[in-house]
Amino acid sequence: MTDSSLNALERRAVGTLGGVYALRMLGLFIILPVFAIYAETLQNSTPMLAGIAVGIYGLTQAALQVPMGWLSDRFGRRAVVLLGLAVFMAGSLVAADATSIEQMIIGRALQGAGAISAALTAWVADLSREQVRARMMGMVGMLIGTTFIVSLIAGPLLAGKIGVDGIFALVASLAVLAMVMVLVLIPAGRESSHQAAGTWGDMGKVLQDSRLLRLSLGAAVIHMLLTANFMSLPLAMRDMAGLQVEEHSMFYLVVLTGSALFLFPVLRLAQSRVTGWMRVFALVLVGCEVLLIFVRHEIFLLGSVLLLFFIAFNFLEAQLPTQVSRLCPVDLKGMALGVFSSAQFGGAFLGGLLAGVFLEWQNAELLYLTLAGFTVFWALLLNGLELSEERRI
């Protein structure tokens, strides 16, 4: 076995931790392709409130990622992940019982309160060597990408069979399965460390590192785009491209499978000059948002633009947390990834909110231009970002 090959512990870690991450993200992703349409049936629903319901999980995630990441540094990854999964399960059950948009917002907020992304990412980093960490993050990203594909395909199909309330009940059961995996299958990783863990005073070290902040802003931007696009595009596919809701699954299957095939070739291509490739793919996202203004009426053109969107998104989704884990001090890893995840989910909330506002105004074109503007701003901030002198951890 070469140094660049995964050892048995790393293979087990990436499989099980990636599986837990994927099961949880399935519970958040699976409603994306159907929620904008389903929300029309909830009492008191408006496009604005529907956007809040889609994105509110990101607000609670953003508020709690840093505390949960810090707690995982101090008391161990396993305990914090189990707590987060339990809260996520409770939120799923509340959403399953919702009959009004207000109840749905409460359930989605509780789902987000199970904020374990930072702890899970730090756990992967705990159990990996630096020379294979990017590959392991990429493999976890591939699992999440596969989960996204499954979600977009299964969402419309399951909504027709068991309803969206049934989907939320199913999600609650998946949270139980993830808890079993955490208890039985996953190596311990970092355990509690009252002396070694960072303190709240160390937060300044994370917030003063401009490289970490620019990477976190990137996570916010790409998840803002993802959430906003999937609030607006299912409606456009139905009302402008004439694609019936039950046909959305096959459309997503083709687009997302195609984009997933590019992930590892693109990651290999970008092993050097990472910052430059980040800027390239940020500009690809800008172009995609502008093109969405013009191609929504033609399903083939829309699929081509979304293929490019997800190639760029998948690359950035894998690289951004990898670079954060390399740059941050070892004892602040959970805290730094907590800041990163807070930005990520804060972007998802902002995306849902922006989509709700612009759809309320019936102005999707301005939505896409606004999203493109945010992405241009981040691409400009990448100028001067140097990732070649990482601190060794």
Side-chain angles (χ1 to χ4, degrees):
M1 182 185 69
T2 65
D3 287 343
S4 62
S5 300
L6 300 188
N7 60 36
L9 175 62
E10 288 163 341
R11 289 194 297 270
R12 182 181 173 193
V14 76
T16 51
L17 284 169
V20 170
Y21 208 139
L23 285 174
R24 183 179 169 280
M25 297 310 290
L26 178 67
L28 296 172
F29 288 156
I30 199 167
I31 71 158
L32 279 182
V34 296
F35 191 82
I37 296 170
Y38 170 74
E40 297 173 345
T41 68
L42 293 173
Q43 296 175 16
N44 307 321
S45 181
T46 66
M48 169 77 78
L49 291 176
I52 291 173
V54 164
I56 190 68
Y57 82 92
L59 183 63
T60 49
Q61 286 269 347
L64 293 173
Q65 284 296 338
V66 172
M68 295 286 272
W70 177 79
L71 287 172
S72 77
D73 282 340
R74 191 168 180 84
F75 299 108
R77 313 294 187 208
R78 194 187 308 276
V80 170
V81 169
L82 286 172
L83 173 63
L85 287 171
V87 174
F88 176 75
M89 178 183 66
S92 300
L93 293 174
V94 171
D97 193 50
T99 57
S100 69
I101 193 67
E102 294 87 356
Q103 289 174 286
M104 181 62 70
I105 289 171
I106 293 171
R108 291 284 287 170
L110 278 173
Q111 278 190 311
I116 58 172
S117 294
L120 283 172
T121 306
W123 207 343
V124 173
D126 290 343
L127 299 174
S128 63
R129 292 164 295 148
E130 185 174 355
Q131 60 265 38
V132 298
R133 188 165 299 134
R135 185 186 309 173
M136 290 180 66
M137 294 291 186
M139 293 173 71
V140 172
M142 177 66 82
L143 283 170
I144 296 171
T146 302
T147 299
F148 194 80
I149 294 171
V150 171
S151 299
L152 295 185
I153 297 168
L157 295 175
L158 286 174
K161 299 291 185 181
I162 62 176
V164 175
D165 54 346
I167 291 177
F168 279 114
L170 175 63
V171 165
S173 67
L174 293 178
V176 175
L177 175 59
M179 293 171 74
V180 172
M181 293 174 65
V182 168
L183 286 169
V184 175
L185 298 178
I186 303 176
R190 182 188 180 93
E191 293 299 340
S192 61
S193 175
H194 294 272
Q195 294 181 342
T199 66
W200 290 112
D202 292 320
M203 178 66 74
K205 297 178 183 178
V206 174
L207 297 180
Q208 291 170 12
D209 191 323
S210 64
R211 295 175 300 175
L212 295 178
L213 291 180
R214 280 182 276 184
L215 293 170
S216 296
L217 180 61
V221 167
I222 67 173
H223 282 266
M224 176 180 63
L225 268 58
L226 181 72
T227 306
N229 286 339
F230 275 90
M231 271 297 294
S232 62
L233 290 179
L235 296 170
M237 289 162 58
R238 182 191 66 181
D239 300 334
M240 298 180 66
L243 194 68
Q244 298 302 310
V245 175
E246 56 270 19
E247 299 174 313
H248 290 192
S249 296
M250 185 56 64
F251 173 78
Y252 294 135
L253 174 63
V254 174
V255 169
L256 291 165
T257 301
S259 67
L261 293 176
F262 285 90
L263 178 59
F264 282 115
V266 167
L267 287 175
R268 285 181 179 274
L269 181 67
Q271 285 180 341
S272 61
R273 300 181 60 219
V274 174
T275 306
W277 282 105
M278 283 185 180
R279 190 180 302 112
V280 167
F281 284 114
L283 294 176
V284 170
L285 293 178
V286 172
C288 289
E289 293 303 319
V290 174
L291 287 172
L292 285 176
I293 297 172
F294 305 103
V295 303
R296 288 168 293 152
H297 64 284
E298 219 299 315
I299 202 65
F300 176 78
L301 293 176
L302 177 60
S304 299
V305 171
L306 285 181
L307 176 64
L308 289 174
F309 175 88
F310 279 107
I311 290 172
F313 178 89
N314 289 342
F315 171 80
L316 293 169
E317 181 79 347
Q319 278 293 341
L320 289 170
T322 298
Q323 298 305 322
V324 170
S325 70
R326 283 177 171 172
L327 294 172
C328 66
V330 63
D331 290 323
L332 300 180
K333 195 180 297 176
M335 185 175 287
L337 288 167
V339 171
F340 176 85
S341 293
S342 292
Q344 183 181 56
F345 289 108
F349 171 70
L350 182 58
L353 183 61
L354 285 174
V357 169
F358 287 111
L359 292 177
E360 187 97 5
W361 295 344
Q362 298 184 354
N363 197 336
E365 294 81 4
L366 188 55
L367 169 65
Y368 299 129
L369 287 176
T370 302
L371 297 174
F374 276 109
T375 313
V376 168
F377 175 70
W378 178 57
L380 291 174
L381 288 180
L382 289 175
N383 289 325
L385 176 64
E386 181 58 62
L387 298 176
S388 62
E389 297 179 2
E390 296 95 350
R391 284 190 288 267
R392 305 293 291 184
I393 60 176

